[in-house]
Amino acid sequence: MRNGTRLAAVDLGSNSFRLEIGRYEFGHIQRVEYLKETVRLGNGLDEDQQLTHAAMERGWACLARFGERLAGFPRAQVRAVATQTLREARNREEFLSRGSAVLAYPIDVVSGAEEARLIYQGVARLLPQSDERRLVVDIGGRSTELILGQQFSPQAVASYQVGSVAWSQRYFAGGAFSASAFLAAEIAAKAVLDEALGTFRPQTWERAYGSSGTVGAVGGMLAASGVGAEGQITRAGLNWLHERMLRAQSADRLRIEGLKEERRAVIGGGISVLRAVFDLLDIDVLHVAQGALRQGALYDLLDREQPETDLRSSTVNGLMQRFGVDAEHAQRVARTACALFELAAPAGSERAARKLDWAARLHEIGCRISHSDYHRHGAYILDNTDAAGFAMPELHRLGMLVQSQRGKVRKLGADLDEPIFALQLLSLRLAVILCHARRDPDRSGLLLRRQGQRFDLSARPGWASAYPQSAHLLREEVLAWQKTPWELVLDLP
């Protein structure tokens, strides 16, 4: 990454959308611009977990404004991340399709664990270097993330479906505050967070930090009101806020220095969850951190630019070990697939080649479950695992490649309209065929070319007679691509 390069992150939270633009300088990212809009996307989830049209319109309008600001940024320098509301929404594809179009960049829906990892990266990057064992708490609109870590390494991450928007809707309807409502909200939050005690008990960390959303709002109110030390939230400070809220009896009547109007509607839920976290994890002081999810996404962009530091490669290796993949054969298939892909891929396809390499190394991940239909088991694993560094759509795309390594190709439908994806899939299927004997194939003289909607695979004279089983399987592969937008043509003299 060159000094002066601009990077941008878009955080599609349940309460607010945020845009962070930074400039890379000597290993660090300096803020250039920060935009925030209160969209309240999470308020738009109905009882059927469908986003209302009004909520989607608010989100699309905000993304269109962000998109105008980002015009001209290369795609590799922008990361848009969506969290709990879009994890829950059953009609999220409708929102994401138009949202990605108006933003002009793809939007990644990340798992709760991946959200927690990015939050920790954002917090750790903006803290002084230290070997202290850290607890990081992030209370968002519809989820709360807890992370344990040291320096830049998260050691335990968890995400729980409890947050300021959801709890305000459920326990503080109409913004009414009462002692009974707070008690019910805190008991319910502790019930959801109870399992956190096994991992995040006080003995496992030395210093607690809070990031973003609710923590930032509470820290700001306490500081503006002169309650406690600036940048710290204490039990006494939380109790003071709680008493002020009970006296006010409603969010509309609450008058506290530092309370922003955009936060008023969700402050009851946020404080009830924060009080529950304090009690459950026996926190005395929570330090308000400057970093958050969006900064983590920016630094993640740096790692993705360098294959040797890309966390996703380490995650793939971990999955291979966990599911007992034959590493030697996986690497053999990966080498073969990537070599074929590079023969026919256009310039600038390095990222696609890297993803093909991951899919090839994971193509037998489902064998640990059952060798029968292992390709389907592998796709299921990738669709339902927490994999550090990966967004949910990325894992799904890898799963599609793994599932489609054998069997009918036409079942993929519209996905085959993408030339790069079609070439990735063909390269993987050809590699599995060529490596069928589980030894390195003879690739000398093999050429793969793309001409329009046609792929041409040719071999040197005598190759087919030297490898009759491979030639037979390749001829069967021609049939598999019939009735798709693509044609596979063989020249095996």
Side-chain angles (χ1 to χ4, degrees), residues 9-21:
V10 180
D11 171 6
L12 285 72
S14 297
N15 194 52
S16 302
F17 285 9
R18 295 173 169 88
L19 168 62
E20 180 95 7
I21 298 175

Side-chain angles (χ1 to χ4, degrees), residues 269-342:
I271 287 182
S272 65
V273 175
L274 185 55
R275 281 165 57 88
V277 170
F278 261 68
D279 286 348
L280 196 66
L281 301 184
D282 197 20
I283 298 172
D284 291 319
V285 179
L286 188 70
H287 299 268
V288 180
Q290 298 304 307
L293 171 63
R294 58 192 182 277
Q295 285 87 5
L298 287 177
Y299 279 98
D300 202 53
L301 281 171
L302 295 182
D303 293 337
R304 289 181 171 212
E305 281 296 300
Q306 305 176 53
E308 64 275 11
T309 62
D310 193 333
L311 176 63
R312 294 172 294 180
S313 294
S314 300
T315 296
V316 168
N317 290 334
L319 288 171
M320 290 171 65
Q321 294 175 11
R322 190 192 315 170
F323 289 95
V325 169
D326 180 342
E328 183 178 357
H329 183 61
Q331 291 164 3
R332 177 186 300 121
V333 171
R335 284 194 302 270
T336 305
C338 289
L340 292 168
F341 179 83
E342 289 171 8

